[in-house]
C-alpha cells in the first residue's frame, strides 16, 4: 500500500494516508472525500528509513495494521523486512 499526501478541499487539512488500490480515502478531520492528491516531498538521503518507520508508527496508531498478526505487526514496527 503506497502512502499518499492529500489536501482536503472541504476543510483545508493536509494529511498522509496509506491507500489500497481502488479505495477512496477520507479526511480524518471532516470525513470528506473531496481530496486533492499532492506531490510528496522527496526524503533526504539517509533519512528514508526513519521516515518510513515514522509513517508505520502513525499507521499503527490509526489502526491500519489491524489485519496483521501481533508478531507481524511487531516486525513491521521494528523495521524487519521479512514478513
Amino acid at each position: 500500500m503506497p502512502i499518499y499526501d492529500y489536501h482536503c478541499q472541504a476543510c483545508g487539512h493536509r494529511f498522509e494516508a496509506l491507500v489500497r488500490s481502488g479505495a477512496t480515502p477520507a479526511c480524518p478531520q471532516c470525513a470528506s472525500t473531496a481530496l486533492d492528491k499532492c506531490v510528496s516531498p522527496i526524503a533526504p538521503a539517509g533519512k528514508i528509513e526513519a521516515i518510513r518507520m515514522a509513517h508505520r508508527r502513525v499507521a499503527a496508531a490509526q489502526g491500519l495494521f489491524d489485519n496483521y498478526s501481533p508478531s507481524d505487526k511487531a516486525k513491521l514496527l521494528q523495521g524487519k523486512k521479512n514478513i
Side-chain angles (χ1 to χ4, degrees):
M1 286 186 299
I3 297 175
Y4 293 108
D5 289 350
Y6 290 97
H7 177 260
C8 180
Q9 296 174 2
C11 69
H13 181 65
R14 193 174 179 106
F15 64 97
E16 296 176 335
L18 290 168
V19 181
R20 291 181 185 260
S21 178
T24 304
C27 176
Q29 295 275 333
C30 68
S32 173
T33 57
L35 305 172
D36 293 322
K37 192 182 290 187
C38 302
V39 176
S40 298
I42 297 173
K47 302 283 184 180
I48 294 172
E49 182 67 17
I51 291 170
R52 186 173 62 85
M53 293 310 299
H55 287 292
R56 285 187 173 180
R57 285 190 296 275
V58 169
Q62 293 175 354
L64 299 176
F65 287 159
D66 288 348
N67 58 322
Y68 288 94
S69 70
S71 63
D72 285 347
K73 191 185 305 185
K75 288 176 188 176
L76 279 171
L77 296 175
Q78 290 176 356
K80 296 184 180 170
K81 297 176 186 173
N82 296 329
I83 296 180

